[in-house]
Amino acid sequence: PAPPPKVEAKPRPRDDEMQKRMRDELAREQLALQTERERQAIKDQLTRDAANARFKGIAAWVDKIRNKIRGNIVLPPDLKGNPEALFLVTQLPTGEVLQARLVISSGHAGYDEAVLRAILKSSPLPKPDSPGLFERELKLTFRPKD
């Protein structure tokens, strides 16, 4: 006896409908995922831009402070080279200096003392352009030839 001929089963309309729904759902999920990735990329860029703007604002403010202090530094006559001193300055939001502390000496006591006197003499320090940029403690470096 010969085997009965194979009859290819046509997909039932219900199966076609189910596959179409699954494809549509997959397309919606992929679109939602792509949209979310784009939103996150925009959000990340805005965060970077804000951080960069804050950094630039603080840098400009610190430059104003350094310039004011530099104008009050009386360099010792025996100063040689371009030594660097690092100070930690604690201030009030009004710019009043509460404390200035030498963190890293320049190696020249006279220069270190001259900068410390200039910091205290420069009080009140300039305020930032935006109050949100204010930082209570600032690390300030000074070199006589900068």
Side-chain angles (χ1 to χ4, degrees), residues 27-45:
R28 277 194 298 275
E29 286 178 9
Q30 288 173 338
L31 181 62
L33 182 60
Q34 180 63 28
T35 302
E36 184 56 35
R37 283 183 186 147
E38 290 171 1
R39 279 189 191 135
Q40 188 61 42
I42 291 169
K43 185 177 176 184
D44 291 347
Q45 183 63 45

Side-chain angles (χ1 to χ4, degrees), residues 54-55 58-59 61-62 65 89-93 95 125-126 128 130-139:
R54 179 173 170 73
F55 176 78
I58 290 174
W61 172 47
V62 169
I65 291 172
V89 178
T90 306
Q91 63 176 335
L92 293 173
L125 300 174
S130 169
L133 298 176
F134 176 79
E135 291 188 10
R136 187 172 176 85
E137 291 189 340
L138 297 173
K139 290 181 182 178

Side-chain angles (χ1 to χ4, degrees), residues 5-23:
K6 281 193 173 180
V7 178
E8 285 192 34
K10 289 186 179 178
R12 295 184 285 175
R14 207 168 175 192
D15 290 343
D16 286 344
E17 202 175 290
M18 177 73 86
Q19 286 180 356
K20 184 180 182 316
R21 271 192 254 146
M22 288 175 66
R23 282 192 304 269

Side-chain angles (χ1 to χ4, degrees), residues 23-136:
R23 282 192 304 269
D24 290 347
E25 182 63 28
L26 178 61
R28 277 194 298 275
E29 286 178 9
Q30 288 173 338
L31 181 62
L33 182 60
Q34 180 63 28
T35 302
E36 184 56 35
R37 283 183 186 147
E38 290 171 1
R39 279 189 191 135
Q40 188 61 42
I42 291 169
K43 185 177 176 184
D44 291 347
Q45 183 63 45
L46 289 173
T47 301
R48 283 190 300 273
D49 290 350
N52 193 26
R54 179 173 170 73
F55 176 78
K56 285 181 179 179
I58 290 174
W61 172 47
V62 169
D63 283 346
K64 287 179 191 175
I65 291 172
R66 265 199 205 101
N67 289 335
K68 182 173 183 181
I69 294 169
R70 273 192 196 107
N72 290 318
I73 296 175
V74 178
L75 295 175
D78 62 339
L79 184 65
K80 292 181 181 140
N82 195 24
E84 180 178 278
L86 174 68
F87 287 84
L88 181 64
V89 178
T90 306
Q91 63 176 335
L92 293 173
T94 60
E96 298 295 322
V97 175
L98 293 177
Q99 178 184 20
R101 188 168 50 95
L102 178 64
V103 178
I104 299 175
S105 173
S106 66
H108 190 286
Y111 179 66
D112 294 344
E113 290 169 13
V115 173
L116 180 60
R117 283 191 303 272
I119 292 170
L120 297 174
K121 184 177 179 182
S122 299
S123 183
L125 300 174
K127 296 178 191 174
D129 293 334
S130 169
L133 298 176
F134 176 79
E135 291 188 10
R136 187 172 176 85

